[in-house]
Amino acid sequence: MNKTVLTACLVFLTGVLASQAVVIGWAAESVPTGTEYASLVYVADGNAPSINNNVWSPGVESLAWNVNAFEGTTLFPQETTDATTRNAGAYYVVLFNYTDGQYAVSQSSLAWNDTASISTSEFDIITDYFTPNSFTGWAPVPEPSTAMLLVVGAAVAALRRRKHM
Amino acid sequence: MKKGWITFAVVAAAGLVHAAMDPVEGTNVVGFVEIPAAAAKNTIVAVPFEACMQAGVASKLSDLVATYGLTHASDPGSADQLVVLTTDATGPIYYYYYNQTGVGWTPITTEQLMPDGTKKELTPPAASTFDIARGQGFWIKRTAGAGSSVYVKGQVSTAKQSTTIGEGLNLISYAGLTAFDLNDLDWAGAVGANGISATTDRILVSKGDGTYYTTYHYYTGGSKTQFNGKWVTTTGGIALPAADIPAGQGFWYYRRSGNGTFTFKPDGE
């Protein structure tokens, strides 16, 4: 059945969408060795997200986290609700290896208005799942304590250098 | 003769006549099912019955859905509505009916927005001529302040269900008279693929609260062998369905492209 035609029918059926919340269908394939959990994040500017000092880069919102429905290197299909109305941006899948304190980001993203993987109401059924199969290499997640030690260490080194001058 | 003796004689005669009659036996058993359908919500309904006095024949929409307890009005916008999925030359279409005061299910002429931006007028046939096959689903849209149930009625079938499922979205149900578990039914013909993949068939069951559906994926051939041949949920983790589906409640079956058509025979051959 043609999704576009059906969607037109269904949108017509409802007349007015009941809610601005959307449901995002997502999954993952070929996740790298060491993956323990997956997350879905929204990024306002559409650029790939990053983590600094345990904090997401600006404009990133985590919508689903600690998902571990894996079979081998595949993450089973997920359906996650985004309660915020979007008019720009994109969604990414982020993988975590907590054991080694690392994360990896999908190299493809899902546009905020994708009609196949994003449902806007119960009459608009997800027909495809956003399924990235390529990810960046593992990057370390610096812990705040580690970062703080680095800062303190740098300050001490600077003070010593000053005293020696 | 006194009145008491007359009464006794009448009752005794009736008893003798009753004893002489053979019990009425036949397959024309009429039944009804109460289906939860909350106010101000949309519910997928499926009638488990067939036409009265016509075994194996699809019934008519107006005969199957009782207007008892439903909201009626003189204008469509204020009344409960039925929405049936069918097809015409251009593809899938929806027909609308509303519970008109003093009349019952009445067609609503609507306009369908087409992908190219044009509008197509849709005029449904009378509800008394629209066939609803056993196991076929449709929507009921309840108005705010309406009751919480809808009743469907018809002849109880003695035959096993046989429902064709084509590629794409199918609005169907199990035509049983009691609540059921998806994994208790025969799903020969459903397609899974080495666990779950882009080609796996899906079932979407309405949560009944206007939010998105609970989605079940057909699992076959994966490493989690305990789920082989089962419908499972995958959000968060993989699990079997938790709740029964009420009798008369329908659901979407999403047959993935390339999987072809199959016949759903929930009770086996």
Side-chain angles (χ1 to χ4, degrees):
Chain A
M1 187 177 291
N2 184 312
K3 158 92 173 171
T4 309
V5 173
L6 182 69
T7 302
C9 293
L10 294 171
V11 170
F12 173 69
L13 170 70
T14 50
V16 178
L17 297 181
S19 166
Q20 293 301 313
V22 297
V23 176
I24 300 140
W26 60 288
E29 291 178 347
S30 304
V31 300
T33 302
T35 300
E36 293 171 341
Y37 293 95
S39 291
L40 179 72
V41 301
Y42 168 77
V43 189
D45 62 11
N47 295 322
S50 60
I51 301 174
N52 298 296
N53 297 338
N54 266 1
V55 177
W56 288 110
S57 48
V60 175
E61 297 173 43
S62 182
L63 302 174
W65 56 92
N66 286 356
V67 175
N68 65 347
F70 292 101
E71 177 161 294
T73 60
T74 298
L75 174 69
F76 288 136
Q78 304 295 306
E79 285 158 9
T80 298
T81 300
D82 183 355
T84 305
T85 303
R86 311 292 184 188
N87 54 20
Y91 299 92
Y92 286 82
V93 173
V94 181
L95 307 175
F96 289 93
N97 176 347
Y98 289 161
T99 302
D100 294 331
Q102 296 173 319
Y103 74 101
V105 178
S106 63
Q107 292 189 316
S108 58
S109 62
L110 177 71
W112 68 277
N113 57 353
D114 184 283
T115 55
S117 301
I118 299 178
S119 164
T120 54
S121 78
E122 65 179 326
F123 294 105
D124 177 21
I125 292 168
I126 293 170
T127 53
D128 273 311
Y129 290 84
F130 165 52
T131 309
N133 58 9
S134 178
F135 296 84
T136 61
W138 289 116
V141 181
E143 296 176 12
S145 54
T146 307
M148 194 61 74
L149 281 173
L150 288 171
V151 170
V152 171
V156 169
L159 277 172
R160 282 186 176 173
R161 198 174 300 131
R162 234 176 164 183
K163 282 183 176 176
H164 286 279
M165 285 175 68
Chain B
M1 196 181 286
K2 287 185 177 178
K3 189 177 179 182
W5 285 107
I6 295 172
T7 305
F8 174 77
V10 169
V11 170
L16 288 171
V17 170
H18 182 263
M21 288 175 58
D22 291 328
V24 176
E25 291 181 348
T27 58
N28 297 320
V29 178
V30 175
F32 73 91
V33 169
E34 179 182 6
I35 303 168
K41 302 292 183 197
N42 308 306
T43 302
I44 302 174
V45 176
V47 179
F49 303 116
E50 52 195 21
C52 286
M53 308 296 285
Q54 299 174 81
V57 175
S59 192
K60 305 301 180 187
L61 186 63
S62 59
D63 296 334
L64 286 171
V65 186
T67 54
Y68 170 76
L70 301 185
T71 301
H72 58 84
S74 57
D75 67 290
S78 304
D80 288 338
Q81 297 181 7
L82 298 180
V83 186
V84 292
L85 178 64
T86 185
T87 56
D88 68 2
T90 63
I93 55 171
Y94 280 100
Y95 282 150
Y96 283 66
Y97 299 85
Y98 76 105
N99 185 17
Q100 185 179 13
T101 303
V103 177
W105 297 116
T106 303
I108 307 172
T109 298
T110 55
E111 287 184 326
Q112 180 181 349
L113 180 63
M114 303 303 288
D116 63 1
T118 61
K119 291 180 179 178
K120 181 176 73 172
E121 188 171 280
L122 297 174
T123 304
S128 59
T129 64
F130 193 95
D131 284 337
I132 295 287
R134 182 171 165 243
Q136 181 183 345
F138 55 91
W139 291 92
I140 182 164
K141 298 177 68 180
R142 305 298 308 272
T143 57
S148 57
S149 298
V150 59
Y151 295 87
V152 296
K153 54 192 171 55
Q155 179 171 306
V156 177
S157 176
T158 56
K160 290 182 177 178
Q161 181 179 349
S162 178
T163 303
T164 301
I165 295 177
E167 292 184 3
L169 286 160
N170 300 263
L171 208 47
I172 65 161
S173 185
Y174 172 52
L177 299 177
T178 55
F180 59 93
D181 183 329
L182 286 176
N183 286 319
D184 287 341
L185 307 179
D186 186 336
W187 287 101
V191 173
N194 299 323
I196 294 171
S197 77
T199 60
T200 304
D201 286 353
R202 272 186 273 152
I203 283 178
L204 298 97
V205 178
S206 173
K207 296 175 183 173
D209 58 5
T211 63
Y212 199 66
Y213 303 84
T214 300
T215 303
Y216 301 102
H217 303 262
Y218 196 64
Y219 188 99
T220 54
S223 63
K224 302 178 193 305
T225 55
Q226 69 272 33
F227 296 122
N228 272 338
K230 303 282 188 188
W231 293 96
V232 298
T233 56
T234 60
T235 299
I238 185 168
L240 294 172
D244 286 347
I245 299 174
Q249 182 175 318
F251 49 84
W252 289 105
Y253 189 105
Y254 186 41
R255 183 73 162 176
R256 301 309 299 267
S257 179
N259 288 348
T261 297
F262 83 104
T263 304
F264 172 44
K265 296 180 177 179
D267 304 309
E269 291 295 331

